[in-house]
Amino acid sequence: MSSPPLSHPDDLLTVQQVVARTGVMPSALRFYEARGLITAERNSGNQRLYRRYMLRRISLVLAARRLGIPLADVADIFTTLPVDQPPSHQDWVRVSRVWKRQLAERRRFLTNLERQLTACIGCGCLSMKLCDLLNPDDGLRTRGQGPVRLHDEGERNDPG
Ligand code: FES
């Protein structure tokens, strides 16, 4: 006779069962555990067992990976999740809103980098002092993109 299907959030799953359900390798599960993203229990043989609801936390980790959310940020937001029950629908809504804001910030950052890189393509100076990309804190950045001083000198030297 086969055993009944696992259905309660507190059911314990073996590493192999979690791997089969998530596609996450055992080494990654240990890594997530070491980072505090998931927890495991031990049986009498010292084998890891995971509460069924850990599958949902692993799903969140996988979603974050797909979105490029740094693991440190995932760990931060996981501190706001319940540790003894699965993340709720409301938890996921809240987490996804936070990650959406992070994606928007990253998009703005990348757009800015792309703008700086575009200026470099038209310049080629690779100057540690003048290049906005190489020296982002340079005060000259407020005076425009690219080799501002060279442009200024060009204007001073241009008699016309
Ligand atoms: S190479 Fe970046 S501004 Fe010149």
Side-chain angles (χ1 to χ4, degrees), residues 32 57-74 77-78 91-108 110:
Y32 296 158
R57 290 178 78 99
I58 294 168
S59 294
L60 285 176
V61 174
L62 295 178
R65 269 186 41 192
R66 176 105 174 94
L67 295 168
I69 304 292
L71 216 50
D73 291 346
V74 178
I77 200 134
F78 269 35
D91 288 326
W92 170 231
V93 168
R94 181 173 52 79
V95 168
S96 59
R97 283 190 178 135
V98 170
W99 287 350
K100 186 169 186 250
R101 279 198 300 274
Q102 282 185 257
L103 286 180
E105 284 170 21
R106 191 173 353 134
R107 185 173 56 245
R108 282 193 293 276
L110 289 174

Side-chain angles (χ1 to χ4, degrees), residues 31-49:
F31 180 72
Y32 296 158
E33 188 182 340
R35 291 294 195 100
L37 302 174
I38 60 174
T39 58
E41 298 175 28
R42 302 283 181 154
N43 64 12
S44 56
N46 203 32
Q47 294 169 314
R48 282 183 167 80
L49 296 170

Side-chain angles (χ1 to χ4, degrees), residues 116-128 130-135 144-148 150:
Q116 292 173 344
L117 182 60
T118 300
C120 290
I121 290 170
C123 171
C125 71
L126 285 176
S127 166
M128 293 292 184
L130 303 177
C131 178
D132 213 16
L133 194 62
L134 298 174
N135 187 10
Q145 288 292 308
V148 175
L150 290 178

